Amino acid sequence: MSAGLSFDGRVVLVTGAGGGLGRAYALAFAERGASVVVNDLGGDSKGHGKSSSAADKVVEEIRAKGGKAVANYDSVEAGEKLVQSALEAFGRIDIVINNAGILRDRSFARISDEDWDIIHRVHLKGSFLVTRAAWNHMKNQKFGRIIMTSSAAGIYGNFGQANYSAAKLGLLGLSNTLAIEGRKYNIHSNTIAPTAGSRLTQAIMPQDLVDAFKPEYVAPLVLWLCHERCQENGGLFEVGAGWIGKLRWERSLGSIVREKNHPMTPEAVQDKWEKICDFDNASKPRTIQESVSILNDVLSQIESEEVSMNPTSYTRSASSGFDPSKYVGQKLPTVVYNYTHLQPILYALGVGMTTKDPDHLKFVFEGSEAFCCLPTFGVIPAQASLWDGGLSSVAGLNSDFTKLLHGEQYLELYKPLPTSGLLTSESTIADILDKGSGALILLDVHTYCGKDLLCYNQFSLFIVGAGGFGGKRTSEKAKVTVNPPNRTPDAVLSDVTTVDQAALYRLSGDWNPLHIDPGFAALGGFQKPILHGLCSFGFAARHVLKHFANNDVTRFKAIKVRFVKPVFPGQTLQTEMWKEGNRIHIQTKVKETGEVAIAGAYVDLTSILDKPSAKDPIKASGLQSDLVFEEIGRRIKEVGNQLVKKVNAIFQWDITKGGETAAQWTIDLKNGSGEVYQGPAQGSADTTFTLSDQDFMEVVLGKINPQKAFFSGKLKVKGNIMLSQKLEMILKDYAKL
Ligand code: NAI
């Protein structure tokens, strides 16, 4: 059983609280310590008349039980006034329950303008006005909880309730957006669709159900959703009779009904209707980004039809007898890659490294003291699996290179790559997806040096014309692309490729003639040979490495890219980069045309503090701990939500130097999605730690553990000492120090 949920100190405004559900909420909040504004216009169930008695009665009930409440008799259409009552009586507003409601049920054709308008004014506009009046107060105090009251009539429709259904579903849309806009201020908005016996349902429910579905069976959900401990935001719940369920959207896999260079027709829609409405393998998009991300896929699939040299490849290969289930999980023959320093140098030149740039020397000169391999060289030993008796061993996919497109690439490094050696790569067909116009093969390749796993690649290979076999469209095994943030890039680097870039790059082992032979390229529909996708990938990766990691290869963790458009040798690759913590989002454009060549891409770097390099000593001046807090701050930005759930506490740090307090830091893992800031805790800290800058670094670097530091007197703890156990979670797991 969870600990009691108290609302001491919280101020709650419940609209329409003079009866039914609202009354039950008001009583329940007051019982748990909240100060409640009981709002009710006191009219009839159709919205006629007004009276103060409904609200007064509930206020009296609360006060009789020792609770705190005031009445407000305004209509929700006077939103500001309701919030004003809360501020005047209790000085703040924390929680708004939009509950007031009336009915004007009529069959659709008989709904008058008045019936339509009043329903919208009370339910939708009323909720908007009351919530807007409270919003800035919530924002400023970085806490707010909002409930919208929807209805099954809105979600599913209900005879005779067109006006009400429309307004009720409107409230869900309103809540969904408030959830997004409020998130960073710790304002959460959720929607409920209740079922309860009340005066509104009396006319439509038999009396025994009205009695059985008590409003008291809905109130506990509302209280939980409004508690500071509850992180739910943007949810929709059906609730009644003591049961609660959550709802979400489901979307069929759908079907592409358009072909490149052909008009899209209603007949094509009709032909695909069954597939469009088939919920097998449905997806469950949760955000607008997730929802529309499929459209990129659709465009590139439609686009890719054209690059096929062979018009017959449009015909679905269902009749070819291709059965992917036979191949998923199949291991391809192990390939061995034996190399000297020559290959990493050739590769570096292939992806545009040049002696013109002094900091490139360590990649192109084996005699350099710091000679090392570019991290993206990791694709080279792995790609051999595609050729040498690899993929071609899968019947039906045989090596018709004109039909093979490299869709996406993921590479993760576990160790810096050796500059020479003997590597083995083991490949597995992780999945085969049916993308309609083609089959997408996910090939997982693990590359080892002896027993040591060096790197993992996932190749996403699109075989034009091999789709339509009735397979699934998505796979949980796929490493997914991520769109960059919606702002101007933090950095842009560009490099001109040479006309011989592809001719040079192919010497690293990608022998597809598409990149060198004009005749072959023409067969594939290109005006001339195109650059290897993995060559542009190499350019983009080294741009990130240079700009954000000072060319330190040990900081490179992983890269994911999607190849969108071909690049021709001689064109300029321009990499736009956005830094979000240790993830650098990237997008590569062809400068001359402005077209995006690589999209949805990112590079993950390890934190500077994972491996302090000689060039970056921890702040020469000031405190060493500053950098650690800054880094923890960045991590919390990434994973703060989960941490807030797990830790739920505010920690203050007093860092001393020479016996004096030299800095104060606060790690707030209680409010919103957490934050780290310099200075004492705003509000109050649950636990305050005092220790010297030096000892702090030792704790952080794992040289002494916090318990030892405490018992030896180096670390002083004030407040809730038990919470210090959670420190390791913050310092070790998340700062990875
Ligand atoms: P109710 O009629 O007992 O409560 C609604 C209250 O809102 C009334 O006390 C009424 O005086 C007040 N009100 C009406 N117009 C107002 C205005 N302009 N300003 C301030 N107060 C106003 O009904 P019930 O069932 O408790 O309904 C509460 C909410 O739950 C409503 O929004 C309703 O649409 C919704 N709902 C209820 C369901 C149920 O099964 N009871 C089903 C689905 C939704």
Side-chain angles (χ1 to χ4, degrees):
M1 188 72 149
S2 301
L5 298 174
S6 157
F7 285 87
D8 280 346
R10 295 287 182 212
V11 176
V12 186
L13 163 61
V14 184
T15 71
L21 286 163
R23 171 180 164 272
Y25 306 150
L27 289 167
F29 274 116
E31 200 180 318
R32 285 170 182 264
S35 305
V36 182
V37 177
V38 177
N39 157 266
D40 207 290
L41 180 63
D44 70 13
S45 65
K46 292 195 157 89
H48 300 296
K50 58 192 272 186
S51 137
S52 57
S53 64
D56 283 343
K57 253 180 81 190
V58 176
V59 169
E60 272 162 36
E61 255 183 292
I62 291 174
R63 289 190 182 152
K65 291 183 179 168
K68 296 177 282 274
V70 293
N72 170 285
Y73 318 116
D74 291 305
S75 165
V76 284
E77 293 172 69
E80 290 280 349
K81 287 196 187 162
L82 277 69
V83 171
Q84 206 49 43
S85 290
L87 299 176
E88 274 164 20
F90 305 118
R92 55 188 287 139
I93 176 81
D94 297 295
I95 296 167
V96 170
I97 314 295
N98 291 296
N99 165 79
I102 54 167
L103 289 176
R104 287 282 178 100
D105 292 359
R106 296 256 193 290
S107 59
F108 178 61
R110 296 177 55 219
I111 294 177
S112 64
D113 288 9
E114 159 71 10
D115 293 334
W116 177 270
D117 289 345
I118 191 167
I119 288 292
H120 277 71
R121 287 206 317 269
V122 172
H123 289 274
L124 190 51
K125 189 152 188 207
S127 301
F128 156 66
L129 291 168
V130 173
T131 308
R132 189 182 60 179
W135 188 257
N136 276 341
H137 300 283
M138 293 177 168
K139 217 168 130 177
N140 292 339
Q141 73 203 11
K142 292 215 167 143
F143 178 84
R145 295 289 184 268
I146 296 158
I147 297 291
M148 297 295 175
T149 307
S150 184
S151 164
I155 299 170
Y156 307 106
N158 196 24
F159 191 92
Q161 295 199 302
N163 50 355
Y164 179 77
S165 306
K168 283 305 201 190
L169 207 58
L171 285 162
L172 175 63
L174 174 60
S175 174
N176 286 344
T177 292
L178 295 188
I180 293 168
E181 291 191 16
R183 184 174 295 137
K184 69 170 182 246
Y185 306 109
N186 190 18
I187 304 175
H188 296 173
S189 180
N190 288 288
T191 307
I192 61 164
T195 300
S198 74
R199 106 183 160 171
L200 281 191
T201 46
Q202 229 158 17
I204 46 167
M205 274 186 199
Q207 190 58 41
D208 51 339
L209 285 190
V210 171
D211 297 339
F213 295 163
K214 295 189 194 313
E216 288 75 15
Y217 301 151
V218 174
L221 167 66
V222 169
L223 265 69
W224 165 238
L225 289 172
C226 292
H227 197 269
E228 62 201 25
R229 268 191 234 155
C230 179
Q231 292 305 308
E232 186 69 39
N233 189 19
L236 169 63
F237 302 88
E238 284 185 78
V239 49
W243 165 88
I244 302 165
K246 184 171 181 179
L247 284 86
R248 65 181 176 191
W249 292 99
E250 191 178 48
R251 182 172 75 183
S252 74
L253 276 181
S255 179
I256 297 180
V257 294
R258 179 169 77 85
E259 284 187 5
K260 173 120 197 192
N261 296 335
H262 289 74
M264 181 169 164
T265 64
E267 290 75 18
V269 178
Q270 182 186 15
D271 290 348
K272 291 283 174 67
W273 196 243
E274 211 172 303
K275 186 96 184 85
I276 291 169
C277 302
D278 175 2
F279 276 92
D280 277 358
N281 296 318
S283 64
K284 298 177 181 66
R286 284 165 308 173
T287 61
I288 196 163
Q289 288 79 9
E290 272 181 43
S291 156
V292 298
S293 65
I294 191 171
L295 300 183
N296 273 338
D297 229 10
V298 168
L299 286 182
S300 58
Q301 279 180 46
I302 294 175
E303 203 60 30
S304 64
E305 298 267 14
E306 197 193 45
V307 298
S308 158
M309 63 156 221
N310 181 355
T312 59
S313 64
Y314 284 111
T315 55
R316 305 292 178 256
S317 57
S319 56
S320 70
F322 173 59
D323 175 8
S325 60
K326 282 203 291 213
Y327 304 110
V328 173
Q330 183 177 312
K331 293 198 179 337
L332 305 187
T334 300
V335 294
V336 175
Y337 183 77
N338 196 355
Y339 66 112
T340 65
H341 62 266
L342 197 68
Q343 281 75 12
I345 294 176
L346 195 57
Y347 174 80
L349 295 170
V351 298
M353 290 249 149
T354 151
T355 50
K356 274 192 231 150
D357 221 329
D359 64 352
H360 286 180
L361 200 63
K362 66 176 180 182
F363 298 108
V364 292
F365 175 41
E366 72 287 1
S368 158
E369 220 178 287
F371 180 52
C372 58
C373 235
L374 273 171
T376 47
F377 181 71
V379 298
I380 300 297
Q383 76 183 359
S385 314
L386 301 186
W387 323 123
D388 316 337
L391 263 192
S392 55
S393 64
V394 180
L397 299 178
N398 45 35
S399 49
D400 179 353
F401 292 143
T402 58
K403 290 188 181 176
L404 183 73
L405 297 172
H406 194 167
E408 296 180 13
Q409 182 71 27
Y410 178 78
L411 164 69
E412 188 169 339
L413 289 188
Y414 306 107
K415 297 204 163 132
L417 299 164
T419 50
S420 61
L422 186 105
L423 309 183
T424 50
S425 294
E426 289 173 4
S427 316
T428 311
I429 297 184
D431 226 334
I432 300 184
L433 307 178
D434 183 352
K435 295 285 188 178
S437 56
L440 189 79
I441 303 180
L442 298 179
L443 185 71
D444 280 351
V445 186
H446 290 88
T447 299
Y448 298 84
C449 181
K451 284 198 174 127
D452 276 359
L453 178 60
L454 286 185
C455 61
Y456 157 67
N457 277 275
Q458 184 176 76
F459 293 83
S460 309
L461 303 165
F462 191 73
I463 317 283
V464 178
F469 51 82
K472 55 184 183 168
R473 291 186 81 98
T474 54
S475 167
E476 68 288 349
K477 299 202 177 111
K479 295 283 176 187
V480 292
T481 52
V482 183
N483 286 332
N486 191 8
R487 58 178 151 92
T488 50
D490 301 325
V492 181
L493 287 188
S494 38
D495 257 317
V496 186
T497 63
T498 71
V499 284
D500 289 323
Q501 204 71 55
L504 185 58
Y505 181 82
R506 66 191 296 275
L507 303 182
S508 286
D510 184 336
W511 306 111
N512 189 340
L514 180 64
H515 306 293
I516 185 99
D517 179 350
F520 195 91
L523 284 176
F526 298 103
Q527 72 209 56
K528 54 184 175 182
I530 59 171
L531 196 59
H532 303 70
L534 281 179
C535 179
S536 310
F537 158 95
F539 271 78
R542 65 176 182 72
H543 285 156
V544 173
L545 196 67
K546 182 180 175 87
H547 193 85
F548 289 102
N550 199 21
N551 275 333
D552 178 355
V553 296
T554 64
R555 291 197 51 211
F556 195 96
K557 245 206 285 223
I559 178 167
K560 169 77 195 181
V561 302
R562 179 208 291 268
F563 303 112
V564 189
K565 278 260 153 83
V567 176
F568 295 106
Q571 289 183 315
T572 308
L573 291 170
Q574 178 172 307
T575 308
E576 299 172 338
M577 300 173 265
W578 295 258
K579 182 167 172 17
E580 293 275 289
N582 289 321
R583 172 160 290 182
I584 315 297
H585 295 270
I586 45 181
Q587 171 168 280
T588 300
K589 285 183 178 156
V590 172
K591 198 171 177 184
E592 289 78 6
T593 61
E595 285 192 330
V596 175
I598 290 179
Y602 64 84
V603 170
D604 283 338
L605 299 173
T606 56
S607 132
I608 276 199
L609 292 168
D610 283 347
K611 193 191 165 296
S613 82
K615 276 195 189 141
D616 301 314
I618 290 175
K619 274 201 175 170
S621 61
L623 300 175
Q624 304 179 73
S625 53
D626 286 353
L627 219 63
V628 177
F629 283 110
E630 279 163 27
E631 179 61 20
I632 293 175
R634 270 195 291 279
R635 298 254 176 184
I636 283 174
K637 262 198 189 149
E638 286 173 33
V639 293
N641 276 330
Q642 296 149 34
L643 269 182
V644 168
K645 263 191 218 157
K646 278 196 206 151
V647 178
N648 192 36
I650 302 178
F651 300 105
Q652 180 179 315
W653 298 81
D654 292 350
I655 304 291
T656 63
K657 194 156 194 180
E660 305 267 17
T661 301
Q664 284 184 312
W665 285 89
T666 299
I667 303 182
D668 181 344
L669 292 173
K670 199 176 218 169
N671 297 306
S673 50
E675 64 174 327
V676 174
Y677 53 87
Q678 202 154 15
Q682 288 160 15
S684 64
D686 294 289
T687 317
T688 302
F689 304 100
T690 308
L691 83 171
S692 75
D693 192 36
Q694 180 73 33
D695 292 338
F696 178 85
M697 289 312 291
E698 300 219 323
V699 170
V700 160
L701 293 168
K703 292 190 184 149
I704 40 173
N705 76 28
Q707 285 81 2
K708 265 199 194 143
F710 175 72
F711 286 115
S712 65
K714 289 179 170 173
L715 170 66
K716 296 192 181 57
V717 185
K718 264 197 309 197
N720 185 343
I721 193 164
M722 294 309 287
L723 282 173
S724 50
Q725 287 175 359
K726 298 196 173 173
L727 269 187
E728 280 191 358
M729 188 148 67
I730 307 167
L731 297 182
K732 272 207 176 143
D733 290 356
Y734 291 91
K736 294 228 170 74
L737 294 161

